[in-house]
Amino acid sequence: MAVVLILRKQEYQLEGTMTVKEALKRLNLSPESHLVVRNGELLNENDVLRDGDVVKIVPSISGGGW
Amino acid sequence: MVNTSHVSMKCHKCDERAVIRMRQHRLALCRTHYVEWFIQQTQRMIEKYHMFTRDEKVLVAVSGGKDSLALWDVLWQLGYHAEGLYIHLGIDEGIRYSAESERLAREFAEERGLVLHIINVAQAHGETVPEIARRTRRGRDKPCAVCGLIKRHDMNQAALDLGFNVLATAHNLDDEVAFLFGNVFHWNLEQMRRQSPVLPESPGFARKVKPFCRFSERETAAYSLVRGIAYIEDECPFAEGSKQLLYKDLLNRLEEVEPGAKLRFYLGFLEARDSGRLILPREEETPLELHPCPRCGQPTTSPGLCAYCRLFESESLGTLGTPALPK
């Protein structure tokens, strides 16, 4: 079992218990540019991810636009 | 080594779990208080920068993305008369980007009983934006330049045709700061003179307002997620590798170690320029003469057709107008 993180259809697995902030750091993703959602709930950076959790990483920055 | 002793973060206004922490504001909020704060802050910005009043109709440029749908949602909740404008650019690239964006914009409007105006570039011109970009010198290496030109022209035209004197876009702090950074980096002083939360209306131009200019993109994304707004998550295929994305990433790396850096950079610039401490080249003593483009009628400094109409100049003049809007 591991924490499963899905970013743009790509799946990553991290072992152990960690905060959202630690998980993003391990994936070398900036917490300023990414949000994490578990079961439709937005998580803050101190929320804890545990083995078996499946979370979605939502990139918050985009190019183009208006 | 994994640290397992974690303290849950609470909302600063109640005891609920916080959904977001905004280090630049030293504020953490639960979902209810975040939505409330976000809406109040938007209203504050509208008033602070004198963007529009409750008597004015606002046309919101809607792309189907998180920022523009969030803006429309907030203005709707605040009770403004806000209608949407979606421009179907014809971007497919194997992911039906424009078709999916339009579907989400339509769905959003239908759920709330709001009016959405739609312009389809291919129907108006017989070509999609990527096709126009490939054909023209301006867009050959950078379709975003053609795309931006078409959107700015069509948004302004739609606002004028539909009787709106206010056009709202969802440019956020990251957009503004990336633009400012690029202009400073390249010493593009002319562009810096015009960057502002509000561009006043003038003959042939609707007033342009950016009510989200002080929200980070993370904050607008959080608002859309908390409100359950369905938005296009795919990145525009042409934005990949863009300088704007590179600047945003760089600035967010800076924000990580210096919370509030982006907001201070932006507000510091506006304050320095508007107070006269930062002196940018003034407009020409004799302002550039604007005249109506012989084809579309929008003001232009060019001697003949405006830059937008020049995209189509190989076609016979007069057979194509600007995109027709549904009545």
Side-chain angles (χ1 to χ4, degrees):
Chain A
M1 291 285 273
V3 177
V4 177
L5 304 105
I6 301 164
L7 170 64
R8 293 198 193 282
K9 293 167 193 157
Q10 180 82 40
E11 210 174 279
Y12 301 89
Q13 296 203 357
L14 295 176
E15 297 290 336
T17 300
M18 72 211 85
T19 62
V20 164
K21 192 177 180 178
E22 286 161 354
L24 291 175
K25 195 174 175 188
R26 281 165 68 173
L27 295 173
N28 195 28
L29 298 173
S30 167
E32 289 298 327
S33 308
H34 298 85
L35 294 166
V36 175
V37 175
R38 179 173 54 201
N39 300 327
E41 276 288 312
L42 179 61
L43 302 180
N44 72 56
E45 62 197 65
N46 281 11
D47 280 327
V48 178
L49 306 178
R50 294 191 170 81
D51 281 351
D53 277 348
V54 178
V55 299
K56 186 174 165 187
I57 300 176
V58 182
S60 62
I61 63 167
S62 55
W66 295 106
Chain B
M1 193 65 185
V2 175
N3 173 17
T4 51
S5 59
H6 307 292
V7 181
S8 73
M9 196 188 297
K10 300 269 188 193
C11 174
H12 285 188
K13 295 192 176 183
C14 70
D15 245 5
E16 289 291 311
R17 183 185 68 84
V19 293
I20 189 166
R21 177 186 180 205
M22 295 169 283
R23 292 195 302 159
Q24 76 279 27
H25 300 309
R26 297 178 185 186
L27 187 63
L29 295 171
C30 67
R31 53 184 304 149
T32 307
H33 284 115
Y34 182 61
V35 169
E36 186 184 283
W37 175 85
F38 193 90
I39 294 172
Q40 282 171 354
Q41 288 296 309
T42 308
Q43 177 59 27
R44 223 184 110 215
M45 290 312 114
I46 292 168
E47 289 170 11
K48 179 178 174 62
Y49 295 111
H50 308 289
M51 292 184 175
F52 46 87
T53 65
R54 294 199 176 272
D55 299 328
E56 291 179 295
K57 288 199 311 175
V58 182
L59 187 63
V60 184
V62 174
S63 67
K66 62 187 187 311
D67 302 294
S68 57
L69 292 179
L71 175 59
W72 201 6
D73 186 69
V74 171
L75 295 183
W76 170 63
Q77 293 207 66
L78 284 167
Y80 286 100
H81 181 132
E83 296 180 14
L85 171 68
Y86 177 82
I87 302 177
H88 188 112
L89 304 163
I91 297 172
D92 187 293
E93 305 300 305
I95 57 169
R96 301 184 75 252
Y97 182 75
S98 289
E100 185 60 8
S101 306
E102 182 180 327
R103 184 186 70 75
L104 291 163
R106 279 180 184 276
E107 199 176 273
F108 177 95
E110 278 163 21
E111 282 170 4
R112 291 160 180 78
L114 296 169
V115 177
L116 177 66
H117 305 274
I118 295 176
I119 291 173
N120 187 307
V121 173
Q123 279 173 17
H125 294 294
E127 289 172 300
T128 64
V129 166
E131 286 166 347
I132 297 166
R134 276 194 287 273
R135 179 177 53 74
T136 56
R137 190 186 303 168
R138 178 187 274 263
R140 203 156 292 156
D141 301 319
K142 38 182 184 176
C144 301
V146 165
C147 188
L149 173 63
I150 290 174
K151 284 190 292 196
R152 283 191 298 277
H153 180 281
D154 287 355
M155 287 191 294
N156 188 57
Q157 192 66 50
L160 299 174
D161 290 350
L162 292 164
F164 289 82
N165 62 333
V166 183
L167 177 66
T169 58
H171 287 99
N172 56 52
L173 181 65
D174 292 65
D175 294 321
E176 294 298 300
V177 170
F179 185 65
L180 177 58
F181 179 79
N183 286 334
V184 172
F185 199 57
H186 295 100
W187 296 117
N188 191 344
L189 305 180
E190 192 58 35
Q191 292 279 10
M192 287 165 70
R193 196 161 48 77
R194 283 178 52 80
Q195 185 174 5
S196 174
V198 179
L199 283 177
E201 65 249 66
S202 56
F205 292 113
R207 188 186 323 149
K208 314 234 174 21
V209 301
K210 302 171 185 172
F212 281 1
C213 64
R214 285 170 66 162
F215 286 130
S216 72
E217 208 154 340
R218 177 173 171 266
E219 288 161 4
T220 57
Y223 177 84
S224 286
L225 288 169
V226 168
R227 286 276 298 147
I229 295 171
Y231 62 86
I232 183 101
E233 291 183 27
D234 284 320
E235 181 67 273
C236 172
F238 293 108
E240 200 179 326
S242 72
K243 272 197 187 145
Q244 189 195 23
L245 278 178
L246 172 65
Y247 293 161
K248 285 183 175 182
D249 185 50
L250 282 172
L251 291 158
N252 272 346
R253 298 282 174 183
L254 177 65
E255 182 79 17
E256 275 179 57
V257 291
E258 196 186 321
K262 290 185 296 189
L263 190 58
R264 281 193 296 276
F265 181 46
Y266 180 58
L267 295 182
F269 159 68
L270 292 180
E271 197 280 324
R273 185 194 57 190
D274 297 344
S275 67
R277 283 193 298 117
L278 172 66
I279 300 167
L280 294 168
R282 274 191 259 165
E283 278 193 79
E284 303 282 329
E285 290 291 325
T286 316
L288 289 172
E289 201 178 323
L290 292 171
H291 64 88
C293 167
R295 189 182 194 183
C296 70
Q298 285 202 28
T300 178
T301 53
S302 316
L305 296 175
C306 68
Y308 171 89
C309 289
R310 282 203 306 275
L311 291 173
F312 309 104
E313 68 182 333
S314 58
E315 298 155 16
S316 57
L317 202 136
T319 56
L320 287 171
T322 46
L325 283 160
K327 298 290 175 201

